Amino acid sequence: MLSIKSLFASSTPQVALMALLGLMLLPGCSSSPSGTNKQITTDPSPDGMDKNIVDLVNLNTKGANNSTSSSASSTDNRNVYIEQASQRLADVPASVLSQYQQAISHMKNLQWQAANSLFDKVIAAQPQLSGAYVNKAIIAMDQLQLDQADALLAQAIAVNNNNPYAHQIKANIARRQGQYDKAEQGYLTALTLWPQYPQAQLNLAILLELYRGKLLQARQYYLAYLVNQPNDEQAKRWLAGVEIKIQRAGLTLPDNANGAG
């Protein structure tokens, strides 16, 4: 069963800006391919939720890069969504910002109904704010309403196709529903918008390893994730596991086998 285990991951370099935007930090839960929880052994399990939900930003999607190609070794640190945040927030009334922050506070306290009601008010006042739909989707996922969550994420993407968080979480739902090709494309789209998005890197690595059989590509995304999260011991074990699978499959392991440390 999907559940939220804890709140508030450690801070990131964008913490000050994200706080301004109404950052929501929600760790995902691990689930097996059948959807039931399992203990971590040698194989990884994809996250059911995202860890970084930012909002109150509506970007102009004209000219957006909608390509679904991404390089696991990219050193591009840009996040299109965050870059254009300030100019978009300038047009949001203070009353709406206040309601949004109250909704975030309710989410932190696991008061889902109260948060949902406030997000509805935010959407009624400012329907172009994609983050409100994303946070409502998280609430729906906590209640195992995946179809409703998927529809909300589609709305978020419709008003702001540059929202990497919406694409990443929508990909998680597709993965849970066995739509692995769709999930892969969703993670790649998120990484096109934010090449150094840790959760998208990790979930794509897991998907490629467990559900797509693309072991060499999976390894590259594990390595990329560990550049951003070098202290994640569990991910290091998963990387070691996929390298063993690569060797057993008779594939050539690249020379940088220990590149993740």
Side-chain angles (χ1 to χ4, degrees):
M1 176 178 178
L2 255 175
S3 62
I4 294 180
K5 296 189 224 176
S6 62
L7 292 170
F8 305 112
S10 59
S11 61
T12 66
Q14 298 91 357
V15 117
L17 176 59
M18 289 182 170
L20 171 66
L21 299 177
L23 175 65
M24 194 61 208
L25 296 171
L26 294 172
C29 70
S30 297
S31 59
S32 67
S34 64
T36 56
N37 288 343
K38 72 173 185 178
Q39 296 295 318
I40 298 299
T41 53
T42 57
D43 278 339
S45 297
D47 286 343
M49 290 186 185
D50 190 75
K51 292 183 179 180
N52 300 293
I53 303 304
V54 187
D55 309 345
L56 301 173
V57 185
N58 174 47
L59 302 184
N60 183 350
T61 59
K62 183 178 180 180
N65 183 354
N66 295 321
S67 169
T68 53
S69 63
S70 174
S71 171
S73 60
S74 174
T75 57
D76 187 350
N77 291 319
R78 69 189 174 86
N79 181 333
V80 176
Y81 187 65
I82 296 297
E83 285 173 356
Q84 299 185 32
S86 298
Q87 66 189 69
R88 299 299 175 182
L89 280 173
D91 297 327
V92 179
S95 59
V96 176
L97 291 173
S98 178
Q99 286 182 325
Y100 195 95
Q101 294 295 351
Q102 288 176 43
I104 292 293
S105 180
H106 286 313
M107 286 190 77
K108 291 175 183 178
N109 293 319
L110 309 184
Q111 297 170 338
W112 306 123
Q113 186 174 353
N116 225 4
S117 296
L118 281 173
F119 284 129
D120 284 338
K121 292 180 180 179
V122 169
I123 289 170
Q126 297 284 313
Q128 80 280 10
L129 298 181
S130 65
Y133 299 101
V134 174
N135 283 324
K136 280 177 64 67
I138 290 175
I139 294 170
M141 289 177 71
D142 185 75
Q143 298 171 346
L144 300 182
Q145 298 171 344
L146 296 187
D147 289 340
Q148 181 179 343
D150 195 55
L152 286 162
L153 292 165
Q155 287 181 281
I157 292 168
V159 300
N160 182 2
N161 193 47
N162 284 347
N163 188 326
Y165 310 98
H167 288 288
Q168 140 78 7
I169 301 173
K170 201 171 193 301
N172 286 343
I173 293 175
R175 188 273 309 167
R176 289 176 63 83
Q177 295 177 333
Q179 300 174 13
Y180 303 132
D181 183 67
K182 184 177 178 181
E184 182 176 346
Q185 293 306 310
Y187 292 134
L188 287 170
T189 299
L191 287 168
T192 297
L193 297 167
W194 180 10
Q196 298 299 315
Y197 188 174
Q199 285 71 43
Q201 290 173 328
L202 182 62
N203 281 336
L204 180 56
I206 293 167
L207 180 81
L208 292 171
E209 177 188 355
L210 297 185
Y211 302 102
R212 305 292 279 164
K214 301 178 181 179
L215 300 179
L216 291 171
Q217 290 181 42
R219 176 181 174 275
Q220 291 304 309
Y221 282 102
Y222 281 126
L223 287 169
Y225 169 78
L226 285 165
V227 169
N228 290 312
Q229 305 291 330
N231 298 321
D232 190 332
E233 297 301 323
Q234 182 170 266
K236 289 179 183 178
R237 290 192 292 272
W238 292 343
L239 171 62
V242 79
E243 289 181 344
I244 290 171
K245 290 180 181 181
I246 288 169
Q247 292 172 330
R248 288 177 177 172
L251 300 173
T252 300
L253 194 64
D255 291 338
N256 62 338
N258 296 318

